[in-house]
Every structure is written in structure tokens, then in C-alpha cells.
Amino acid sequence: MKNIYTPADIEHIIDLTIGKLDQIAELDKQRQAFWMQRREAFVEAVAEQVAAEVMAMRGKSSAKVLVFAGDGICGAYALATASALHRQGCLARVVLFNIGGEMLSPDTVAARDKFIALSGEDFLEEVINPGPGFTMPEMDRRTIVVDGIFGSEYKKPLRGGYQAVARHINEQGARVISIDLPSGMVTDLGVGMINRNIVHADLTLTLVGPTLSFFMPENAELIGRWKTIDVPFDEEAINSIRCSTRIIDAKAVRTVLPTRPSFASKADLGDALIFAGSYGMLGAAVLATRAATRSGCGRVICHGPRCGFFVMQSSVPSAMFTTDGGADDIRRFENPRQCLGVAVGPGIGRSDDTVRGLEIFLKSCFAAGKPLILDADALNCLTVKPSMIDFIPARSIITPHAGEFDRLFGAQSSHASRVLKALEMAARHKIIIVLKGHYTLTIWPDGSIVVNSSGTEALATAGSGDVLTGLMAGFVAQKMMPEVAAVAAVYIHGIAGRIAARINGIQGTTAEDIADAIGPAIDSILNPRQSGATTPHRQ
């Protein structure tokens, strides 16, 4: 798995790699020279990587390149990038903001002087007094803008003239490459931002790695595509970081997926029990049950209303069907076979009898310490009687999308605030929260977050969540820890969506297709060479 860093982690790694200017100033001259040379080498290394990305975006065209540089080290990266571009024959123009004439850091001064020595002053406009005399350089949709005004070292929203610069760049529709972070964006999940006052990047080149803010939907238009550039960091600094947030990948999932012994029988592979369905919503029961049968567990039981008998027996003949006698809905939730993987929710409705039966079941499982998987209408039942939330058994998995989460725990103004609330609720109730979205986040009670990397637009179809629920139940039935089963199921679910979309197209993929692709998805992880399948990679 790849690390996702906190802003403090990134600051710590960079400080240990190149030092802090205020601390360097207190050293003797020899050590000052050493550290300033180290900073200069680091700036040059960043610049070479950024220039390579600019040239790749430019291709064989003659597109104009404009470089905007601020007064801090991000401005030094930008100026050094301009120098690197000039050495390659791309005559980029630079706008350097040095408001008042004395704002430039030593890094920026050094990079500016190098640029002037290489290219002369004709390609540099240094803005000291941004009054009526300053006009933004012309740009259009073909122009490539290198945004090096402010990076992560600037922790406040843009103000005044800088806001105007960001808005102008956005309005012109130029192609934007941001160094470190789009100027004006802050990485603190708790800070609200006004997106029109922030540079909108097509490509963000992060130095150390992404922060969790990179995966928030409200920031997608700011960051665009992102990539971690390859620059030399202090190895001890990198190794000293213990990240609680990571991106899941195929290699990590492969290590936790259960494998089937040669002499195994169905009795060795675990039982899954799924409480699903009500009159008019039996499709959810079919989808969840079908997914569970594809998970590799030995036996799947669907418990539903009497009206589901013929539907389930004909649609998923490999599964058993039980009922408590309710004609149209489930009234009693019981687990007489003591199945390990128990999921509740797909299509069960919210009738009084169902809510009452679920409350009794929750309390009995809470007392016995038996985790559950709660999804869909089970979550809606909790909103009918919120006191039931306190009886969700420890280490249970809940799988809300944004709307379900807000109905459970209160309306949130952004996905970032939703994540912060999910961290609080997971810790308070000792549960696992799978917050569904393009980047589904699995949040563990200890505060760990696992970001899914296999999401696809093909999953945005009715019943897709029911498939995920059944898959989780099948994995828990095979004695996977709930925390691990949640992460693995989300990843496999995404791969199944991709496989289904290759056959049916993104728009034509249905939840049935996703359920039927679970087997090939699991096989592509366990046997990547034999299956020839490729798994998604995000930079």
C-alpha cells in the first residue's frame, strides 16, 4: 500500500531533507553553505521533473508557456523550472510576485538570478507594485501555465490580488500544472475553501505524496490529475513517518484473500447469512446473495419474506432461502446456524415490524459481541429509531453513501467534514465505516483510513451497493477480520466493475454484471499472470 501523508508529515520530511531557513541562519558559515547548497540541489531536482512534465504536455506543439512564481520556495521551484525549459529551447515567460520588493526568500533570489543569467531580463516580469500598471499576460486554452505562486507552505486562502490572478487563470481555460499544490488550496480537511479563488490545475505535481484532501470530491476540480514526482528525500525522514492513511493496491489485497485448499469441502469455507428483500425490492436480495455465492464461501443463506421464495430459488439456486413467515417483509432476524458472515439491509424496507425485529437482533448481537454488516435499508431503519445506533456491535461494518451517512450522523457541508465525522463515529462506536464514493474510504475504529484505488464510474448503478454487501458477508464468512474484509471487498468490487465495463461498457454495466464479474476479479488478484488481467494504478 502507498502512504497518504498528513500536511505535518510532508512538512517534517521536507524540513529534514533541506532544513529550515530560520535554523540555517543560526549556523556557522560553513554549515550554512552546506545546507543552502543542499536546498539549491533540491530545487533543481524538482525543477527538472516539472520541466519534463511541461514538455510532455506541450508535445510537438509551439504552445506558449507562462510561469507564475511566488516569493517562497515554491517560487524558486517555478523559476528553476523556467530555466530548465529555456535550456531545452522552450522560451517560457515568468511573472514573479515580489510585492514591496523585499519579499523573496533566499531560495527564490538564487533561482531568479540564475534565470536572468541564463535568459536575460526580457523573459521576466517582476511584480513589485501590483497597481494599475500591472496587467496579466495574455493566455488562451493552448497556453500552458506553471503555477508556482504558493505551495503547501502557504496555509491561508488567497487574498486580494492573488485571488484575482487565480480567477484570471481559471477563466482563460489555460492548461495548468501546479507545483506541490494548486495555489490557494489548503490541505487541512477542517478548512472550508472557495474554489473560484484557487488555481484549478489540470495536473498537480506533489513532492512527497498526496494528502487525504486529494481524494475529496470537492477538490477534484482543483487538483485535476495528480502525480508524485521523483525527488531525493532524506531516507530516515521518510522511514520515520507512520502513516495512518494509505491507498490499497492489488498486492496488499492478494496477501489477505483466502485461498482454497485442495481438499476443502463447503463445510470448511464458512457460511454467509444475508437478511434481504421485501415486497417490491427482492432484486436487492438477489444481488447481495449472488455476490456472496461468488465470494468463495462454502454456503450462502438468504433470509427474506415469504414472497421471495420462488424469486430466490429460481434466481440464485445455489443459495438456501429461509423465512420467518412474514408475507411481505422480514419480522424476525435470527442466526440459528451461527454463520460468521452476517449482512443485514438490502431491500428490507422500513416497516414497523422490520424496525422492531432489527432492534431486537442488534441488541442480542451487541450483547454477544457478534459483528454485523449493515447496509442500505438497515441504515434507513437506524434513522427511524436513532437510539439503535448505540447497539451496533463492535467491529461491525456499515456501508453508507454520503446521503445515508448524513441521515445517520447529521448533515455535513462537505465530504471533508463527513470524513472527520466518520472518524469520530467509528472511534465512538468501535465500528468500521465504509464511506462509499469514487474513492471509497474504509475507516477503522483506531483512526486508520484505507483509500480505495479501484473505483470506476461503472459502479454508479442501482444495486451495486447490494453486491458489495454480499461480497463482504462472503469474505467475513471465510474468517477474514471485518476490518480487512471491508477493504478487500471494496477493492474487488471495483475490479469487478472494471471487468464488467470492459464487456458491457460503462453506461451498460448493471449490478448483475458486477456480481458475475466477482469471480474473475478475485482470480485476477490471486493469479495475475494466469488471468492476464490488469489492475488499476493511480499515481
Side-chain angles (χ1 to χ4, degrees):
M1 291 194 287
K2 293 185 177 180
N3 288 335
I4 297 176
Y5 298 92
T6 67
D9 291 336
I10 292 174
E11 185 175 355
H12 177 71
I13 291 168
I14 292 178
D15 286 347
L16 289 182
T17 300
I18 62 175
K20 288 184 174 182
L21 284 174
D22 56 348
Q23 294 176 353
I24 293 172
E26 297 176 359
L27 302 175
D28 59 67
K29 290 186 178 180
Q30 184 177 358
R31 294 172 68 194
Q32 280 185 18
F34 168 81
W35 279 102
M36 292 310 294
Q37 288 173 3
R38 188 163 175 167
R39 291 178 71 92
E40 187 176 342
F42 184 82
V43 168
E44 293 292 338
V46 171
E48 290 295 332
Q49 295 282 314
V50 177
E53 295 294 335
V54 173
M55 295 302 289
M57 182 178 284
R58 194 172 187 242
K60 296 181 179 180
S61 73
S62 58
K64 179 168 63 176
V65 178
L66 290 173
V67 176
F68 290 87
D71 50 42
I73 194 168
C74 198
Y77 300 146
L79 285 158
T81 297
S83 294
L85 290 171
H86 275 242
R87 287 193 292 269
Q88 297 178 58
C90 176
L91 303 182
R93 301 193 66 83
V94 179
V95 177
L96 171 62
F97 294 101
N98 181 18
I99 309 304
E102 298 179 351
M103 295 294 293
L104 301 186
S105 70
D107 303 304
T108 315
V109 170
R112 178 198 60 184
D113 293 347
K114 278 189 172 184
F115 178 74
I116 292 173
L118 174 69
S119 306
E121 296 184 352
D122 291 342
F123 290 95
L124 175 69
E125 180 178 5
E126 189 167 342
V127 181
I128 296 175
N129 297 306
F134 170 68
T135 57
M136 286 285 293
E138 292 184 2
M139 63 185 83
D140 56 32
R141 295 186 179 276
R142 295 180 66 249
T143 305
I144 297 173
V145 169
V146 177
D147 163 33
I149 305 172
F150 296 115
S152 56
E153 82 272 13
Y154 190 80
K155 298 177 176 60
K156 301 176 183 177
L158 296 183
R159 298 179 181 178
Y162 289 121
Q163 272 189 15
V165 171
R167 291 185 185 182
H168 183 80
I169 293 172
N170 296 339
E171 290 165 0
Q172 302 310 304
R175 294 174 289 172
V176 179
I177 296 177
S178 286
I179 305 173
D180 190 16
L181 201 66
S183 292
M185 180 180 168
V186 292
T187 52
D188 186 343
L189 291 183
V191 176
M193 295 182 291
I194 301 174
N195 283 13
R196 71 175 184 273
N197 296 336
I198 301 167
V199 172
H200 292 193
D202 295 279
L203 173 63
T204 297
L205 299 175
T206 180
L207 305 188
V208 178
T211 67
L212 192 55
S213 63
F214 280 48
F215 303 93
M216 299 298 105
E218 57 264 27
N219 295 337
E221 67 175 347
L222 305 178
I223 292 169
R225 186 168 60 89
W226 64 268
K227 181 177 182 180
T228 303
I229 58 178
D230 185 17
V231 290
F233 285 106
D234 183 278
E235 284 297 324
E236 289 187 11
I238 292 285
N239 294 333
S240 69
I241 300 297
R242 295 291 177 266
C243 293
S244 61
T245 304
R246 294 187 176 185
I247 307 173
I248 191 67
D249 56 24
K251 182 179 179 182
V253 173
R254 188 178 305 122
T255 63
V256 299
L257 280 179
T259 55
R260 182 170 295 187
S262 300
F263 293 94
S265 71
K266 65 182 180 182
D268 301 319
L269 302 174
D271 295 348
L273 171 61
I274 299 174
F275 294 95
S278 60
Y279 185 80
M281 292 191 288
L282 295 171
V286 171
L287 292 168
T289 305
R290 182 180 296 180
T293 64
R294 298 289 190 182
S295 69
C297 68
R299 181 164 39 203
V300 179
I301 304 164
C302 176
H303 183 94
R306 278 205 324 269
C307 64
F309 179 81
F310 291 108
V311 171
M312 294 303 301
Q313 292 295 84
S314 58
S315 298
V316 198
S318 58
M320 297 172 61
F321 181 78
T322 62
T323 180
D324 55 66
D328 297 329
D329 52 20
I330 301 172
R331 301 182 178 187
R332 291 200 305 274
F333 297 79
E334 297 172 345
N335 183 12
R337 294 176 180 267
Q338 298 302 306
C339 301
L340 280 181
V342 182
V344 186
I348 64 173
R350 291 182 290 175
S351 72
D352 291 343
D353 288 336
T354 298
V355 173
R356 189 179 304 112
L358 178 58
E359 181 178 19
I360 294 169
F361 187 57
L362 279 179
K363 289 180 178 179
S364 67
C365 292
F366 179 84
K370 295 181 177 179
L372 302 170
I373 299 158
L374 303 175
D375 180 39
D377 276 337
L379 303 180
N380 292 328
C381 288
L382 295 180
T383 64
V384 172
K385 195 168 185 181
S387 61
M388 292 163 60
I389 295 173
D390 293 330
F391 294 98
I392 299 175
R395 300 183 72 201
S396 289
I397 304 168
I398 68 170
T399 62
H401 55 60
E404 290 168 337
F405 182 90
D406 287 6
R407 288 194 291 273
L408 275 174
F409 300 116
Q412 305 299 317
S413 60
S414 66
H415 203 63
S417 65
R418 193 169 293 116
V419 172
L420 293 173
K421 187 69 173 180
L423 285 164
E424 177 189 345
M425 293 297 102
R428 176 184 298 177
H429 298 289
K430 298 180 176 60
I431 58 176
I432 300 137
I433 299 179
V434 175
L435 193 53
K436 294 187 289 194
H438 181 76
Y439 291 109
T440 293
L441 307 179
T442 301
I443 299 168
W444 293 354
D446 67 357
S448 298
I449 301 176
V450 182
V451 179
N452 186 52
S453 62
S454 66
T456 167
E457 298 91 328
L459 298 176
T461 186
S464 174
D466 303 319
V467 172
L468 176 61
T469 297
L471 181 57
M472 284 184 188
F475 281 167
V476 174
Q478 296 172 74
K479 299 182 180 179
M480 292 179 70
M481 293 189 300
E483 296 86 351
V484 176
V487 172
V490 168
Y491 188 84
I492 295 294
H493 184 244
I495 299 297
R498 288 171 179 266
I499 292 172
R502 286 204 293 267
I503 300 169
N504 304 287
I506 289 176
Q507 284 84 352
T509 295
T510 65
E512 297 97 304
D513 301 324
I514 299 168
D516 290 340
I518 286 173
I522 293 173
D523 190 57
S524 74
I525 302 300
L526 291 176
N527 307 294
R529 293 178 182 173
Q530 291 91 327
S531 68
T534 56
T535 54
H537 172 68
R538 293 183 184 275
Q539 293 174 307

